[in-house]
Amino acid sequence: MNYRIIDKDNYYRKGVFRHFSEDCKCSTSMTARIDVTELVNYSRQNGTKFYINFLYILSKVLNSRDDYRMGYIWQTNELICYDSINPTQYVFHDDTETCTPVYTTYNEDYDIFYKSALEDVERAKQTREYGLDMANHPNWFDASYISWLSYDSLNIELPDGYLFFAPIINWGKYREENGRLVMPVSVRMNHAIADGFLIANVFRLLEQEIKYFCS
C-alpha cells in the first residue's frame, strides 16, 4: 500500500473540500442504468463470468483518476491519494443467507485479475465468517452485487462527520429495455472529495471501458 500526501492548500478542490469536511459533512450518491449488452455477449462468447469481467472494468475505472483513490488519515488529519485501490467483493451463502467479504487485489492485467478474483471467490465459499478487516485494508473499496433485483434506486448512509473517502459501488441484475441489456449501478462517495460531475463521470467511464474491453 503506497500513497502520497495531498497538499490541501494547493488541492484543486480546496474550497469544496474545506466546506464538506468542516461545515457540511455529507456523502452524495447516484444510481443510473448502464448498457451492458456488449459485455454480456462478450462474457457468453468467451466462457467467462460477467460478474468478474464487470468487477475488473469497475476497478480499472476507479483507478483511472486520483479523485477516486483518495483517503483520509484522521490521526494526522492528512488527505492522501493511494497509488491504487482494490475491490472488496462479497460472496453470498444461500444456506445461511449471509455474506463473506473477499479482498481481491486489482491488477491492470486482465488475465491476472480474473484468475485471482475467481480463486478468491472459491476460497470464500468455504467459510461462513464475515471476516471484514478494514484496518488492514485501507485502500479497498466496496463492490457489492445485489443479484436478486434490478432496482431503480439505492442509498447508503454513513454517520454524519465520518470522513470515509473510499467509493462504495453496488449493482443489480441487468434487464432488457428496448432490445438492450441495462444494469443499475449505484455510486456513493464523500462530498468532500467528489461532486455530481465526478460521480456521473464513473458511469460514463464504465460504458466507455466496456466498449474498449469488448473490442
Side-chain angles (χ1 to χ4, degrees), residues 6-22 79 192:
I6 302 297
D7 180 357
K8 286 184 283 191
D9 289 333
N10 293 303
Y11 178 37
Y12 88 106
R13 290 173 51 83
K14 177 176 66 175
V16 177
F17 177 81
R18 191 212 62 78
H19 176 61
F20 286 108
S21 64
E22 297 179 16
L79 177 65

Side-chain angles (χ1 to χ4, degrees), residues 131-213:
L132 191 66
D133 183 19
M134 293 178 63
N136 292 309
H137 297 84
N139 58 322
W140 262 256
F141 67 91
D142 253 46
S144 183
Y145 173 38
I146 302 173
S147 62
W148 311 275
L149 183 68
S150 182
Y151 61 84
D152 291 315
S153 66
L154 182 148
N155 190 47
I156 294 178
E157 298 288 347
L158 292 182
D160 288 343
Y162 185 41
L163 298 179
F164 182 79
F165 290 164
I168 298 177
I169 314 294
N170 299 88
W171 65 97
K173 291 173 60 177
Y174 56 76
R175 64 179 185 250
E176 185 175 343
E177 289 185 4
N178 301 316
R180 304 293 291 179
L181 297 175
V182 296
M183 186 174 75
V185 178
S186 301
V187 179
R188 175 270 173 201
M189 296 189 70
N190 192 289
H191 209 341
I193 48 91
D195 53 20
F197 167 77
L198 287 170
I199 293 179
N201 191 50
V202 173
F203 300 98
R204 182 185 67 84
L205 291 173
L206 281 172
E207 291 198 325
Q208 179 178 298
E209 281 297 330
I210 285 173
K211 290 181 180 179
Y212 176 78
F213 178 83

